[in-house]
Amino acid sequence: MGPQRTLFPWVHCHDSGSSGPDQEREKRWAELFDELDLNKDGHIDITELRTGLAGRGLSRASLEKLVEAGDTNQDGVLDFEEFTQYLRTHEKELNLMFRSLDRNNDGRIDAAEIQHSLHAVGVNISLEAATRILQSIDKDGTMTIDWNEWRDYFLFKPITNMEDVARYWKRSMMLDIGEQLTVPDEFSEEEKKSGYVWRQLVAGAMAGSVSRTGTAPLDRLKVFRQVHGSSAFKGNVLSSFQYMLKEGGLRSLWRGNGINVLKIAPETAIKFTAYEKIKHVMRGNNESKTLMIHERFVAGSLAGAIAQTAIYPMEVLKTRLTLRKTGQYSGIADCAKQILQREGVTAFYKGYVPNLLAIVPYAGIDLAVYETLKFAWLNRNRGLADPGVTVLVGCGAISSTCGQLASYPLALIRTRMQAQASVRGAPKPSMLALVHNIVTQEGVAGLYRGISPNMLKVIPAVTVSYVAYEYTRIALGVDIEGRRGGKGKG
C-alpha cells in the first residue's frame, strides 16, 4: 500500500524556527485562500467556505465559528490577513492542546493518551474505542498521531481543548419529551463556576415549557387512554380525541399543562443539585475521579428519586387536572384543597412506588442507548468532530424513546393509581392487583394502552424543545460549547 495522502497537504511544514518553512507555509495559505475565494473578490464568506471545504465533516455552525473567530473587523467575511491570522492563532492553540495530550513528551499521541484525556472531561471510552479514534486521524499507519497529522485534522475545526469534545454531547437539558427521568449531563468545574450550568438549566426549562405546551393535547390524550381502560372506553385514539373536544372544547386539550410546566424548574434544580452531591460522596477523597457509566447511572437514578419524591404531589395534581371534567376544579389550588379534604395527605403520593421503580429502566436504558449511539458516531466519524444538530436530536430522541418504552407499563400503573379517586365508584386496588386486573381483562397489550399518542409526540416534542432551547440559549448569551456569546476566548 502506498503512502496515504494527508487531509491538508498544503499546511505541512517542518517544525524548525527557520524562515524557510514559515515562508513556505505562508505561500501554501495564500494558495488555499485563492482556491477558497471563488468569486475572486479578495474575501471568503460562509458559502465559499462550505463549498471549498466540503467533505471535511464541518457543520455550518463550525464554519460560522471559524469566520467569527477570524473576522476582526466584523464585516462577516475574511480577507487574506484575517484568514492567515486565524490559521496562525488556531495552530498555536492546537499545539498547546497537542502538548497537553502528549503526556510522555515523545512528540506523538497514542490511544492510551486519547483515552485518558477524554476520561478527564467525563467522556469514558474503552481503549479499543480510543484506538479507533486514533486510526481516523493517523494517516501514516504508525498507530500514533504526530503533530502534522494532529494539525492537519483540526486546523479548520473550532475546538481548542478536549472539553469541547464532551460539550458537543451535552443534551439532557435541550430535549424534553415530557419525562425528566434521564441521568444529568457532566459539567466541568470551570462550567460550574462560570454560571454556564445554571444558564443551561434555565434554557432547558424554557425549552421544556414550550415543548410541553405544544404537545399538551397528545399528552392529555395519552393520560385519558391510560386511565380509561378498554372495558370503560372502547373507542380508538381518534374517538377519544373527539370525546375530549366534545366534553370541554378546544381549550380542554391543554388541561393539566399549567402544573406540568410549573414542575419543570423545581424538578430540574433538585435533581441536578442532588446529582452533584451524590457524585461528591461517591468520589470520596478523590475529587478528580471520573465516574464510570454504571456509577453515573446509580447517581442519576438516586438524584431522580430524590427529585421525584420532592415534587411528586405536583405529579398527582397534574394527573387529576388533566382528567378533570368541565367545572370540576377552579384551578390548581382548588384541586389540591379538594384532594386534601376528601382523601387526606397520603393521596398526594398515590402511585409513588411504581413511579420510583420506573426510574431504573428509564434512566438505565436511556443512558445506555445514548452512550452507545454517541460512541458509534464518534468511532465512525473521525471521533472528535462536531456531531451536528441532526445527530444530537436523533440520539436523544431514540434513547429517550427506548427508555419510555421500557418503563411505560409502570408509568401506566402510576397514572391509574394517581387517578383512582377521580373515577367515580372505582375500586382502589394495589399496584400488583392493578397489573393482574389489566393483564386479565385486556392482555399484556393493556399495559401499553395510550402509547400511540405518546410515541406521536416524541418527534414534535424534541424538535420544538431543541428550537426553543437554541433561541433561549442565544438570548442568555451562551453558545453550545459553553462559552459566553461573542468573541470570547477560544
Side-chain angles (χ1 to χ4, degrees):
M1 183 181 291
Q4 296 186 42
R5 182 175 61 85
T6 60
L7 254 108
F8 301 112
W10 37 265
V11 297
H12 266 307
C13 63
H14 299 291
D15 292 325
S16 66
S18 65
S19 60
D22 285 341
Q23 290 176 351
E24 180 65 21
R25 180 177 59 179
E26 296 287 334
K27 180 183 176 182
R28 298 293 185 188
W29 285 351
E31 291 173 358
L32 176 66
F33 183 87
D34 187 61
E35 288 177 19
L36 294 175
D37 183 15
L38 300 177
N39 60 7
K40 307 305 177 187
D41 65 349
H43 298 89
I44 299 173
D45 59 24
I46 286 287
T47 303
E48 290 172 321
L49 281 174
R50 293 190 74 183
T51 303
L53 299 177
R56 309 282 192 198
L58 298 171
S59 66
R60 182 179 179 85
S62 296
L63 294 175
E64 286 174 347
K65 290 185 192 307
L66 188 157
V67 172
E68 184 182 13
D71 184 19
T72 54
N73 62 5
Q74 299 185 350
D75 61 355
V77 295
L78 299 177
D79 59 30
F80 178 70
E81 184 179 347
E82 290 172 330
F83 179 73
T84 53
Q85 183 57 44
Y86 167 79
L87 293 179
R88 284 191 210 98
T89 302
H90 195 47
E91 188 172 302
K92 289 178 183 178
E93 293 170 340
L94 290 174
N95 188 262
L96 291 173
M97 188 177 173
F98 181 85
R99 292 184 181 185
S100 70
L101 292 173
D102 183 17
R103 300 178 70 211
N104 59 5
N105 297 315
D106 65 350
R108 292 180 173 273
I109 298 171
D110 58 31
E113 288 169 329
I114 290 177
Q115 182 189 37
H116 179 271
S117 65
L118 285 169
H119 277 198
V121 294
V123 179
N124 298 300
I125 64 171
S126 65
L127 188 60
E128 181 184 2
T131 301
R132 288 197 291 269
I133 292 173
L134 179 145
Q135 288 173 327
S136 68
I137 304 174
D138 173 30
K139 295 304 171 185
D140 58 10
T142 60
M143 293 304 293
T144 57
I145 302 169
D146 62 24
W147 161 240
N148 283 335
E149 290 170 327
W150 178 265
R151 177 194 55 205
D152 291 356
Y153 184 75
F154 285 112
L155 195 61
F156 285 99
K157 291 180 170 65
I159 67 168
T160 56
N161 56 63
M162 294 307 288
E163 287 191 7
D164 288 345
V165 177
R167 284 186 182 125
Y168 279 128
W169 293 93
K170 288 179 174 33
R171 54 91 196 190
S172 70
M173 272 83 68
M174 69 175 72
L175 301 178
D176 187 309
I177 61 173
E179 299 282 355
Q180 287 208 339
L181 303 180
T182 55
V183 176
D185 286 321
E186 298 293 301
F187 293 96
S188 67
E189 289 302 316
E190 178 187 351
E191 288 172 328
K192 294 172 190 173
K193 291 175 182 176
S194 69
Y196 163 71
V197 173
W198 293 106
R199 291 196 298 276
Q200 283 281 66
L201 292 176
V202 170
M206 293 295 293
S209 300
V210 175
S211 172
R212 293 187 185 193
T213 301
T215 58
L218 286 170
D219 188 66
R220 185 172 188 236
L221 185 59
K222 176 198 74 175
V223 174
F224 184 84
R225 292 188 62 78
Q226 282 179 332
V227 172
H228 298 290
S230 60
S231 59
F233 193 90
K234 300 184 184 298
N236 56 23
V237 172
L238 181 59
S239 60
S240 301
F241 188 76
Q242 290 171 336
Y243 172 82
M244 291 190 299
L245 272 177
K246 186 177 179 180
E247 191 278 327
L250 187 63
R251 288 186 61 185
S252 70
L253 299 180
W254 276 266
R255 285 178 183 169
N257 183 60
I259 191 76
N260 197 31
V261 168
L262 282 175
K263 69 186 178 73
I264 293 174
E267 184 175 8
T268 302
I270 293 168
K271 183 170 72 171
F272 179 76
T273 303
Y275 183 62
E276 291 298 313
K277 296 292 183 184
I278 293 166
K279 286 196 303 178
H280 177 74
V281 172
M282 294 177 75
R283 287 183 177 130
N285 295 325
N286 185 8
E287 277 299 315
S288 62
K289 176 185 175 183
T290 301
L291 297 184
M292 301 301 289
I293 294 296
H294 68 277
E295 293 174 314
R296 284 185 59 205
F297 164 62
V298 171
S301 296
L302 289 173
I306 291 169
Q308 283 287 301
T309 301
I311 63 98
Y312 194 75
M314 298 178 79
E315 294 280 3
V316 175
L317 285 171
K318 181 247 180 183
T319 298
R320 298 289 183 94
L321 287 165
T322 299
L323 294 168
R324 77 182 187 269
K325 297 290 182 74
T326 302
Q328 187 174 355
Y329 305 117
S330 61
I332 297 173
D334 182 54
C335 179
K337 180 182 176 182
Q338 288 193 39
I339 293 173
L340 188 62
Q341 288 177 342
R342 296 174 183 176
E343 304 168 56
V345 176
T346 56
F348 289 106
Y349 280 87
K350 284 183 176 179
Y352 175 73
V353 173
N355 186 66
L356 279 191
L357 293 176
I359 291 174
V360 175
Y362 189 109
I365 291 174
D366 173 69
L367 181 63
V369 172
Y370 187 76
E371 292 293 316
T372 300
L373 293 172
K374 175 173 76 174
F375 289 122
W377 191 93
L378 283 170
N379 293 331
R380 293 178 184 177
N381 294 271
R382 309 200 171 200
L384 305 176
D386 174 4
V389 171
T390 304
V391 175
L392 280 176
V393 172
C395 290
I398 292 169
S399 62
S400 295
T401 301
C402 290
Q404 279 203 344
L405 284 170
S407 62
Y408 192 84
L410 286 165
L412 182 140
I413 298 299
R414 173 202 66 191
T415 305
R416 287 205 181 181
M417 293 181 75
Q418 289 173 339
Q420 280 172 353
S422 67
V423 180
R424 185 174 60 185
K428 299 174 179 56
S430 64
M431 179 179 73
L432 293 177
L434 262 177
V435 173
H436 180 266
N437 291 345
I438 292 171
V439 174
T440 301
Q441 296 172 15
E442 306 175 47
V444 176
L447 295 173
Y448 285 88
R449 188 170 174 80
I451 199 167
S452 52
N454 195 57
M455 292 297 101
L456 282 173
K457 77 172 186 175
V458 170
I459 293 177
V462 296
T463 303
V464 171
S465 64
Y466 186 83
V467 171
Y469 170 84
E470 283 293 281
Y471 279 104
T472 308
R473 146 184 100 66
I474 291 168
L476 292 172
V478 56
D479 69 24
I480 201 165
E481 280 81 25
R483 296 182 291 271
R484 290 305 298 243
K487 296 191 178 189
K489 277 179 77 172

